[in-house]
Amino acid sequence: MDEESDLAQGHEQSCWASLPDVCLRRVFWWLGDRDRSRAALVCRKWNQTMYSADLWRCRTITFSGRPSRSHASEFESALWYVKKFGRYLEHLEIKFLNPYNAVLTKKFQVTMRGLLSCLGKSNSRLKSLSIQHLELDRLVWRSSIRTSFIKSLSFFLKKVSKHLAYLNLKGARLAVEQGCHVLSALSHLRSESFASELNLEDYFSHHLAVYSSPQFNQTMAMFRSLAVLTLNYNCISDELLETLGENNASSLWTINIKCHIHDPHGQVIWGMSWAKLAKHAANLRVNFFFERVMKHERLTRILLQEIPVRSVSLRSCYFSDPDWSMRPTLTDLLPTYRHTLQKLTFEFNNNHESLDEELLHLILSCEKLFYFKIWAFLDVKFVERILQSQEEGKCMLRTLKVRIYTNRYETNEEDRMLRDIYRKYRNLIDTEFNYFVIAYPMM
């Protein structure tokens, strides 16, 4: 029996030993760092597999913003990873979750200084970097800590600017001068940057009129291969649009623009500036995201007919203004883009006016619309009318998401009607739709 056990064990070991490298790497791919390190101790082949480049190309490093023993090793493990496998890294995401005090931001800054320094020396293949929601204008970021972090980040970007294609600094909330200093690091080696995707949403602090800054326009002029640009409307100016048209016409295909109520958005942009950009960048599509900017007179200053708008999102959250009406926007403004609109998202409190007819007419008039999401006070029959129009071939929706607000705590009647509608159009919904519809008490 002992000899048979030894033979069986030897046979089992030989099977693992002969496992193809591609299969072994796949097994390692599913393991966490701790399990990978343990598996690497099994044999020489497994140890070599541990250092396969494709296991370490993508990495998300998360730092907790709360003091905790369980999170004490986060900073040390991040440095361990970069020193050991940083040379293989191609896509890096760093998260710093809601820092609690200046002690933690200081620790994060010191760790990032070592991490970025090590990575800058060993890595020559980083393609994308994402560090979101730092909120550097918060009080927990003391001036000296913030300045040191920006210095480390800028120096690192100079090192990797030659091959970095994607940079996401959403929510950094910097001053104009600091923000431009960081961005200019991407053009350090050649006085121009060939990054293809840039996310600058909330990159600058609120209330800043970035559009009036010559420094920002000069910084953006260094980018020559942008394909996707995301930024706030308080950065948009005639000068910026002209710069984008001159330097990125052959590559630019998407601009995402966020307009927030707390950002300055009263600047005058000429329609001819948008028309000129759209002419040079023939494949350009623009997506607008409005946060509590809902009044018709404000929207008409921004949504000019010369803009090739692909999607519009209008969100007022739960704020209600009896003097505000959504009707002119639905009947006069948005139909301007009926030939280009593909996505519509609405979240507003229209308790004071019914908009079912206007919304349905807008959906039917937009010939390319495939995505429609709305949270509002609606009649349940509004959903049935959309499904009926879809069945008759009058619209081509692929996604329908509806939250029907009610003024009652109980939604039993609405739920029953929605179940009946689903049963009636079940075949249509199950075969053609990403469908989600509920009734929601809005008290």
Side-chain angles (χ1 to χ4, degrees):
M1 292 297 294
D2 291 340
E3 292 180 359
E4 291 178 0
S5 299
D6 291 341
L7 289 173
Q9 186 176 1
H11 178 69
E12 184 178 352
Q13 289 175 345
S14 65
C15 291
W16 277 102
S18 61
L19 191 68
D21 291 345
V22 64
C23 296
L24 190 57
R25 284 197 299 270
R26 190 61 178 171
V27 172
F28 269 70
W29 189 84
W30 288 101
L31 300 179
D33 290 350
R34 188 181 299 274
D35 290 331
R36 284 181 182 178
S37 298
R38 290 172 177 170
L41 300 175
V42 171
C43 64
R44 181 177 298 175
K45 182 179 179 180
W46 284 30
N47 185 266
Q48 293 172 347
T49 302
M50 172 79 164
Y51 289 87
S52 299
D54 54 355
L55 293 177
W56 308 101
R57 287 174 181 163
C58 302
R59 190 71 173 184
T60 297
I61 299 176
T62 303
F63 300 102
S64 174
R66 295 290 186 271
S68 169
R69 290 183 179 180
S70 62
H71 299 139
S73 63
E74 287 176 344
F75 299 91
E76 290 77 8
S77 62
L79 286 174
W80 170 85
Y81 164 77
V82 169
K83 289 178 181 178
K84 207 168 185 66
F85 305 105
R87 62 184 180 274
Y88 305 123
L89 199 58
E90 295 182 12
H91 307 280
L92 174 61
E93 180 182 16
I94 295 173
K95 297 180 179 180
F96 189 29
L97 306 177
N98 301 316
Y100 179 77
N101 56 35
V103 173
L104 287 169
T105 55
K106 176 63 176 178
K107 190 172 184 180
F108 174 78
Q109 176 263 314
V110 171
T111 302
M112 287 299 296
R113 182 179 62 194
L115 187 151
L116 296 177
S117 175
C118 181
L119 197 59
K121 295 175 182 177
S122 63
N123 185 282
S124 60
R125 60 173 72 185
L126 190 69
K127 297 177 181 178
S128 72
L129 174 64
S130 176
I131 311 177
Q132 297 188 53
H133 307 299
L134 288 175
E135 300 179 348
L136 291 163
D137 58 355
R138 291 179 57 193
L139 293 178
V140 292
W141 289 92
R142 292 176 180 169
S143 178
S144 58
I145 301 174
R146 179 171 54 248
T147 301
S148 297
F149 173 76
I150 293 173
K151 183 179 179 181
S152 299
L153 178 60
S154 300
F155 186 77
F156 174 72
L157 291 177
K158 290 178 182 179
K159 288 275 190 179
V160 300
S161 60
K162 186 177 181 179
H163 41 83
L164 191 70
Y166 171 82
L167 179 63
N168 184 348
L169 294 176
K170 176 181 177 180
R173 297 204 332 216
L174 292 165
V176 175
E177 184 177 354
Q178 292 173 326
C180 291
H181 175 70
V182 173
L183 292 178
S184 63
L186 291 173
S187 58
H188 170 68
L189 295 177
R190 294 171 291 189
S191 297
E192 57 186 36
S193 172
F194 290 94
S196 60
E197 187 167 352
L198 204 58
N199 189 336
L200 303 180
E201 180 183 335
D202 296 332
Y203 177 67
F204 296 102
S205 296
H206 292 315
H207 309 294
L208 293 178
V210 184
Y211 58 82
S212 63
S213 168
Q215 185 181 7
F216 176 69
N217 292 321
Q218 292 169 6
T219 301
M220 293 304 297
M222 299 176 182
F223 293 91
R224 301 302 175 102
S225 299
L226 284 175
V228 180
L229 175 62
T230 302
L231 72 176
N232 289 50
Y233 191 75
N234 65 336
C235 298
I236 301 293
S237 65
D238 292 312
E239 292 77 13
L240 176 64
L241 297 181
E242 182 178 0
T243 297
L244 293 174
E246 291 176 353
N247 299 336
N248 302 273
S250 61
S251 59
L252 190 63
W253 61 279
T254 298
I255 301 180
N256 302 307
I257 301 175
K258 176 182 177 180
C259 186
H260 193 276
I261 187 66
H262 294 310
D263 288 334
H265 51 270
Q267 71 270 37
V268 176
I269 309 295
W270 291 98
M272 65 181 70
S273 298
W274 278 111
K276 187 176 179 180
L277 175 60
K279 181 180 179 180
H280 290 156
N283 297 319
L284 178 64
R285 294 295 180 264
V286 182
N287 305 312
F288 278 96
F289 304 87
F290 294 93
E291 297 282 345
R292 295 176 58 193
V293 179
M294 304 292 289
K295 292 188 176 180
H296 181 68
E297 58 271 19
R298 291 186 178 182
L299 293 173
T300 52
R301 291 169 59 92
I302 298 171
L303 291 173
L304 305 179
Q305 62 181 0
E306 293 84 359
I307 307 175
V309 176
R310 179 175 58 183
S311 74
V312 174
S313 173
L314 289 161
R315 301 177 66 248
S316 67
C317 301
Y318 299 111
F319 293 93
S320 178
D321 183 356
D323 297 326
W324 160 78
S325 175
M326 188 68 181
R327 186 169 286 109
T329 300
L330 298 177
T331 58
D332 302 332
L333 182 56
L334 293 181
T336 306
Y337 310 110
R338 61 186 178 276
H339 300 302
T340 59
L341 265 179
Q342 298 179 20
K343 297 181 66 176
L344 279 172
T345 300
F346 298 130
E347 297 180 22
F348 49 71
N349 186 342
N350 62 314
N351 191 26
H352 56 287
E353 64 175 349
S354 174
L355 298 170
D356 294 46
E357 292 296 330
E358 291 79 4
L359 286 164
L360 183 62
H361 186 268
L362 178 62
I363 293 173
L364 298 180
S365 66
C366 293
E367 55 195 45
K368 294 184 178 180
L369 191 69
F370 70 86
Y371 179 98
F372 184 74
K373 173 185 174 182
I374 183 167
W375 295 3
F377 283 94
L378 301 165
D379 193 294
V380 174
K381 292 182 179 180
F382 171 75
V383 176
E384 184 174 13
R385 294 175 68 184
I386 292 179
L387 294 173
Q388 182 180 349
S389 299
Q390 181 83 7
E391 190 174 56
E392 295 172 354
K394 296 179 180 179
C395 58
M396 301 298 292
L397 291 176
R398 291 293 174 267
T399 296
L400 179 62
K401 298 184 178 183
V402 182
R403 176 181 286 187
I404 301 173
Y405 291 154
T406 71
N407 284 319
R408 302 184 306 276
Y409 284 113
E410 296 294 334
T411 61
N412 294 334
E413 180 63 21
E414 288 81 1
D415 294 339
R416 182 192 62 77
M417 294 175 67
L418 289 174
R419 286 194 296 270
D420 291 341
I421 292 172
Y422 175 75
R423 282 192 289 267
K424 181 177 180 180
Y425 293 96
R426 182 171 183 172
N427 290 336
L428 177 69
I429 293 171
D430 291 347
T431 58
E432 297 187 15
F433 269 112
N434 176 10
Y435 179 87
F436 179 78
V437 179
I438 62 169
Y440 184 84
M442 179 78 160
M443 303 301 294

